[in-house]
Amino acid sequence: MFKLNLKIALRNLWRNRGITSINVGGLAIALAAFILVVMYFTYETSFDKSNPNYKNIYVVGRIYPDFKTNYTSPPLVKAIKQNFPEVVRAGITKNGTFELALKNEGRTTFIKSFMYSDYEAARILNLNPSTGLQKPKGESEFFFYLNKESMRAIFPNKKDEKPEMVSMGSSTSGHTGMITGSIVNDLHSNINFDALSIASELGKGENYGYNNYNTYIQVKPGTDVANLEQKITDLYRKELLKGETDQKTIEEIKSISTFLDPLSNLHLRPKAGNDAPYKILFALSVLGVLILVIACINFTNLSIAQATKRAKEVGVKKVMGAYRFQLTTQFLTEIFLQCFAATIFALILAELALPYFNNLFQINLSIWTIENNLFWQLPLILCLITLIAGTYPSLVLSGFKPALVLKGNFATSKQSSWLRNGLLVFQFSIAVIFIIGLLIINSQLKYMRTQDLGFTANQVVYIKNITYFNKPENFAPLRDKILKIDGIKAATVATDVPDGAENGSNGYTFEGVQASIDFVDVDFDYFETLDIKLKQGRFFSPSFSTDTVNSAVINESAVAKYGMKNPIGKTIKGCNTDYKIVGVIKDFKAQGFESIVQPTIYSIKNPCGNPKLQIMLKIEENKMASALATLKSQWPRINPKDGEDFRYEFLDELYGKLFKKQEQLQSVFFAAALLTIFIAILGLFAFAKYITNGRIKEIAVRKILGASDIQIFKLINSSFFIMVLVANVISWPVAYILTKKWLETFAYRIDLPVLPFISSALITILLTIITVSIQAKRAVKANPVDALKYE
């Protein structure tokens, strides 16, 4: 019986190879896109799962009234260890602040991300060097590991795991260090580094004011995390309140709390951070599912449309004793064969598209690895789409009444007609949503690229550097040497560059009002180099000796934060310093468009600040190449610690990386819009062919009675035109809500435009008219005699 059903299935598929090709082709394209989405979803949701304690690891963070942060201080981790028995381990890590050059026998590797970890944090995070994780003895001992790639770069012939000596910084600096061994840099982890230093303890002697560490804890399975979170908050407040007598400060401390963020959250949606990756993944997953649903709708629609051709077959089989279950199985077998063929083609298409997909998302996925879970996901997907696409058509086909269909007067029911039309409307509704989404994403990205940032990133070069220039007198000789190079107009150094990274923050008090605001430590010419606009007062100047002691410049947001009136000359207190405000600058979007400009204070001297490492130069555009070449040749003399290791990046390119996630979303929506339109038009083309063929005699009669070609075209197109119009009307509110919510994730955004909604309607209606008219042309141009001669 199975052999007979298989033979009938193959014959039917071959006889209707046009429709079969459309079914298999549309499903294969959609399934290829869905396979890529499933692989990406699996990859993104499995970060750090190789850690055996994955489910019991948490990051400890702090919550202030106006912000959250993952940064904590070393004393907190000690207090947690001592007070909470449900915490199995607790440790801290800290990231390095600069890019370090390591050298050995003429070979150089650059350590771009450096991490310090205490022994307990290394155990929690499952950091296993090739020689095994060992605890350093005493306070002064530490182990220094390079990732496998960096180790191979400077020791290409190394076969053992013995320690090696390397030079650090320039070849003339005289600094050396011992590499203890190598460690695998797990790219599928949030804990990522080029080099790792493990010490027995970090942050000894530092108090609760040194909030530049990450605290990790491992709890016992079954721990009440919410209860532990509250207990850590109580402990933290108690520690901060020790010795505090000022009532206002006490009230402020009581408003501070802590949170525990699972390790599983860190990659996609950290409590203190940007959840753009999660939004991108969610949007991509929904798109993948919808594209597959649209393809399955096509399949269902065309299978129902073909029902009349199989009616007599069903009638004869039922008369011969076939049960409905047997017929349902037969039709499901046919559909399964088509879905199986579509899956094979989908794998081929996915393999061809994978390099472009990997390049877009900067990942390295592969179809032919067991880690991506396709070996069990794909059979499940195949069975699922067979049931989704085939169940209803199989029930319709197997449910025909023999007495009716064998008389030759069978016609599909109104219920089937409504279902076909409804599915077609649904298809086009999804396509319209994708088109509107794409057009609005394009508008927002255009706005972001053309909007005034408040500073000029063009022609600014960021020089990577390892020398501290905390005092202006240390940087002045270097600035003088740099400015002698033809084409360089300005030079400065600061703790941060405006590339989207978060600044440090601290508590500052103005006229009795205390608030936590960002701080950036700068040097002379910082604002001039970045072409930041002055609103009131003045910039820092060597002409004023107090500028290097206690002068400050604040931005407009800081003025608004404190409700300042006439702030110039007034005092703002913080970091044990009474700062005199000498200038107010206009807000500029250092953190991009998703975050509102933070209240910020700029000073030359800041006891709480980070090292000033980031050198920025303003260079004339037509002299950029020659100036950079001169800098490279003279860098060993200008900045001996860096020596021959001259490295730079263009600030506009650094800032442009802030748009990366939205550009990914734009590319995804562009591909999704094309796919959904293509699949919908493919189904519409076949459906229009079926409808036109069913009305061939009606068209012939109308032509004989004098109907013109235009009238017939209008007749055939009218029903499809109405369906597409209905699809637009249905999809507009949905698209409005979705795009409005997406735009609300930006602090600076466009107003929701009307044009994309009108454009989507025009595009879909035009494509529908063209598609249906191409199909109708043959029926319109046919000789009426040929259609009526057998009547």
Side-chain angles (χ1 to χ4, degrees):
M1 189 67 179
F2 175 77
K3 187 177 179 181
L4 177 63
N5 283 340
L6 183 63
K7 188 182 290 185
I8 293 170
L10 292 172
R11 282 178 178 173
N12 277 313
L13 293 176
W14 179 252
R15 188 182 301 121
N16 301 295
R17 51 188 174 273
I19 297 296
T20 301
S21 299
I22 291 173
N23 267 348
V24 172
L27 196 56
I29 292 168
L31 195 52
F34 189 70
I35 287 170
L36 293 177
V37 169
V38 167
M39 289 171 61
Y40 184 66
F41 184 88
T42 302
Y43 174 81
E44 288 289 291
T45 54
S46 58
F47 267 66
D48 288 307
K49 282 193 174 179
S50 59
N51 191 318
N53 301 306
Y54 170 76
K55 294 182 179 179
N56 298 312
I57 296 173
Y58 295 83
V59 176
V60 182
R62 296 175 297 139
I63 303 174
Y64 287 79
D66 45 1
F67 75 98
K68 290 182 181 181
T69 177
N70 279 343
Y71 291 109
T72 52
S73 53
L76 178 60
V77 73
K78 294 179 183 177
I80 291 172
K81 281 181 187 177
Q82 294 167 0
N83 288 277
F84 305 119
E86 59 265 53
V87 177
V88 179
R89 295 187 183 92
I92 56 175
T93 66
K94 183 180 180 180
N95 293 322
T97 54
F98 53 78
E99 188 175 297
L100 181 64
L102 301 182
K103 297 180 172 65
N104 175 62
E105 296 180 355
R107 288 180 287 269
T108 303
T109 187
F110 293 101
I111 305 303
K112 296 181 180 179
S113 57
F114 189 91
M115 191 175 88
Y116 302 91
S117 171
D118 65 14
Y119 175 70
E120 287 299 309
R123 292 183 69 189
I124 293 169
L125 300 174
N126 198 35
L127 304 177
N128 290 311
S130 54
T131 53
L133 181 61
Q134 301 173 25
K135 185 173 183 178
K137 298 174 183 176
E139 297 175 8
S140 59
E141 186 180 29
F142 65 91
F143 298 137
F144 184 49
Y145 301 98
L146 283 185
N147 66 16
K148 293 280 187 182
E149 294 78 11
S150 299
M151 184 69 89
R152 199 178 299 118
I154 54 175
F155 298 103
N157 301 316
K158 186 174 174 61
K159 303 296 182 184
D160 56 42
E161 293 296 336
K162 293 179 180 179
E164 298 284 355
M165 190 68 72
V166 294
S167 298
M168 296 183 172
S170 71
S171 54
T172 59
S173 67
H175 295 296
T176 59
M178 180 70 73
I179 305 297
T180 312
S182 62
I183 187 169
V184 174
N185 185 14
D186 186 3
L187 297 176
H188 203 190
S189 169
N190 294 292
I191 316 302
N192 209 275
F193 46 80
D194 294 333
L196 171 69
S197 176
I198 298 179
S200 177
E201 184 181 351
L202 290 181
K204 188 171 183 181
E206 296 182 4
N207 58 34
Y208 279 95
Y210 288 84
N211 292 300
N212 48 6
Y213 293 83
N214 293 118
T215 298
Y216 295 91
I217 63 170
Q218 178 186 332
V219 301
K220 292 177 182 178
T223 297
D224 185 341
V225 176
N227 181 47
L228 177 61
E229 190 175 67
Q230 184 57 51
K231 289 196 293 185
I232 292 175
T233 293
D234 295 338
L235 172 68
Y236 186 56
R237 289 172 180 170
K238 181 181 175 183
E239 292 291 312
L240 292 179
L241 287 170
K242 283 182 179 177
E244 188 59 62
T245 56
D246 182 67
Q247 191 58 39
K248 190 170 184 180
T249 304
I250 291 171
E251 292 302 317
E252 289 165 358
I253 290 172
K254 287 180 179 179
S255 68
I256 301 171
S257 60
T258 64
F259 64 85
L260 296 180
D261 202 9
L263 185 62
S264 56
N265 273 12
L266 291 190
H267 180 62
L268 291 174
R269 44 178 179 175
K271 289 183 179 179
N274 191 344
D275 63 349
Y278 172 76
K279 292 173 183 174
I280 296 291
L281 181 64
F282 180 78
L284 194 62
S285 302
V286 171
L287 295 184
V289 171
L290 288 176
I291 289 169
L292 191 60
V293 167
I294 287 174
C296 289
I297 286 172
N298 254 5
F299 203 108
T300 301
N301 244 344
L302 295 177
S303 298
I304 296 172
Q306 291 289 99
T308 53
K309 293 185 178 182
R310 308 293 299 276
K312 289 187 177 179
E313 175 194 338
V314 172
V316 169
K317 284 187 174 181
K318 282 195 170 183
V319 169
M320 299 296 291
Y323 292 105
R324 185 174 185 179
F325 173 77
Q326 293 172 311
L327 294 170
T328 303
T329 304
Q330 176 197 329
F331 293 129
L332 275 175
T333 302
E334 289 183 23
I335 290 164
F336 176 81
L337 288 175
Q338 293 177 76
C339 293
F340 182 77
T343 304
I344 301 301
F345 286 121
L347 283 171
I348 297 170
L349 292 173
E351 180 67 23
L352 293 173
L354 196 56
Y356 304 98
F357 189 84
N358 283 339
N359 183 58
L360 174 63
F361 290 97
Q362 297 296 298
I363 51 178
N364 188 29
L365 299 180
S366 174
I367 291 175
W368 313 110
T369 57
I370 198 167
E371 287 82 7
N372 60 27
N373 293 331
L374 278 181
F375 72 94
W376 65 266
Q377 289 173 345
L378 213 53
L380 185 65
I381 293 167
L382 175 59
C383 294
L384 195 62
I385 60 174
T386 300
L387 290 174
I388 292 172
T391 300
Y392 187 79
S394 299
L395 292 174
V396 170
L397 289 165
S398 62
F400 292 152
K401 300 271 191 285
L404 291 175
V405 298
L406 293 178
K407 288 179 181 179
N409 60 355
F410 171 79
T412 52
S413 66
K414 287 185 178 180
Q415 184 181 358
S416 295
S417 176
W418 273 104
L419 179 65
R420 288 197 307 269
N421 295 344
L423 292 176
L424 195 64
V425 167
F426 180 78
Q427 274 185 309
F428 273 94
S429 296
I430 301 301
V432 168
I433 291 170
F434 286 166
I435 293 169
I436 292 171
L438 174 62
L439 294 174
I440 290 176
I441 290 169
N442 287 345
S443 298
Q444 175 65 16
L445 275 173
K446 183 180 178 182
Y447 167 81
M448 289 162 65
R449 293 191 184 106
T450 57
Q451 178 73 0
D452 180 21
L453 301 176
F455 74 102
T456 303
N458 294 336
Q459 301 172 298
V460 177
V461 176
Y462 157 53
I463 309 292
K464 297 182 178 181
N465 160 63
I466 64 172
T467 306
Y468 289 6
F469 295 109
N470 293 337
K471 296 180 179 179
E473 57 267 28
N474 295 339
F475 186 66
L478 185 137
R479 177 193 282 111
D480 293 339
K481 293 174 186 176
I482 290 175
L483 292 178
K484 288 177 182 177
I485 297 172
D486 187 33
I488 299 180
K489 298 189 291 185
T492 192
V493 67
T495 54
D496 299 277
V497 296
D499 62 352
E502 292 183 7
N503 301 319
S505 61
N506 216 323
Y508 290 84
T509 303
F510 178 81
E511 295 183 350
V513 178
Q514 201 274 346
S516 182
I517 64 173
D518 286 7
F519 62 83
V520 179
D521 306 337
V522 302
D523 207 294
F524 297 115
D525 295 335
Y526 175 83
F527 303 107
E528 293 87 340
T529 302
L530 294 173
D531 195 23
I532 295 168
K533 304 298 184 292
L534 182 68
K535 185 177 181 181
Q536 289 179 259
R538 62 177 178 82
F539 293 140
F540 297 123
S541 170
S543 303
F544 297 88
S545 58
T546 55
D547 282 2
T548 61
V549 180
N550 66 342
S551 293
V553 172
I554 59 175
N555 65 358
E556 291 174 304
S557 292
V559 172
K561 179 86 173 178
Y562 290 101
M564 295 180 182
K565 294 180 180 178
N566 303 317
I568 303 301
K570 293 185 178 178
T571 300
I572 183 169
K573 299 178 181 181
C575 289
N576 302 315
T577 305
D578 291 350
Y579 289 103
K580 181 182 177 182
I581 300 170
V582 298
V584 176
I585 60 167
K586 291 188 175 181
D587 285 343
F588 65 97
K589 301 177 180 67
Q591 276 83 36
F593 285 75
E594 293 182 30
S595 304
I596 196 165
V597 174
Q598 296 299 311
T600 309
I601 182 170
Y602 300 85
S603 61
I604 291 178
K605 183 180 180 181
N606 180 6
C608 302
N610 296 318
K612 294 181 194 176
L613 288 161
Q614 323 295 354
I615 298 173
M616 288 175 282
L617 311 179
K618 186 81 167 180
I619 305 176
E620 293 178 31
E621 187 174 8
N622 58 347
K623 296 180 180 178
M624 181 70 73
S626 61
L628 289 173
T630 305
L631 274 169
K632 183 173 183 179
S633 64
Q634 295 184 12
W635 200 244
R637 181 177 61 84
I638 295 173
N639 193 3
K641 279 193 178 181
D642 268 335
E644 66 276 13
D645 302 316
F646 178 72
R647 297 157 341 271
Y648 65 89
E649 289 187 65
F650 293 105
L651 186 58
D652 57 349
E653 292 179 2
L654 273 176
Y655 193 84
K657 291 177 182 177
L658 296 179
F659 304 157
K660 186 173 180 61
K661 287 295 178 186
Q662 308 310 329
E663 287 169 348
Q664 286 177 345
L665 192 62
Q666 180 190 38
S667 299
V668 166
F669 260 81
F670 179 73
L674 285 181
L675 279 176
T676 50
I677 290 170
F678 176 75
I679 293 168
I681 293 299
L682 203 64
L684 180 65
F685 186 82
F687 193 39
K689 181 179 180 180
Y690 165 76
I691 295 295
T692 305
N693 288 342
R695 301 179 72 175
I696 199 93
K697 292 179 182 177
E698 177 193 344
I699 292 168
V701 171
R702 287 180 181 274
K703 286 187 74 175
I704 290 171
L705 294 174
S708 66
D709 290 352
I710 297 296
Q711 288 174 317
I712 293 173
F713 273 122
K714 185 179 177 181
L715 173 71
I716 297 172
N717 271 293
S718 59
S719 60
F720 292 102
F721 175 83
I722 291 169
M723 282 190 281
V724 174
L725 205 58
V726 169
N728 275 274
V729 171
I730 291 171
S731 61
W732 283 354
V734 178
Y736 175 82
I737 293 167
L738 294 177
T739 53
K740 190 172 184 292
K741 284 189 173 294
W742 177 73
L743 285 173
E744 285 172 355
T745 62
F746 294 91
Y748 306 98
R749 56 184 179 265
I750 58 171
D751 294 324
L752 198 60
V754 177
L755 187 60
F757 294 85
I758 299 171
S759 299
S760 67
L762 294 175
I763 290 168
T764 48
I765 289 170
L766 184 62
L767 288 172
T768 300
I769 292 171
I770 292 171
T771 304
V772 175
S773 296
I774 289 171
Q775 241 344 318
K777 183 179 178 182
R778 192 180 62 170
V780 170
K781 296 299 180 185
N783 190 340
V785 175
D786 295 331
L788 298 174
K789 63 184 178 182
Y790 294 113
E791 291 297 322

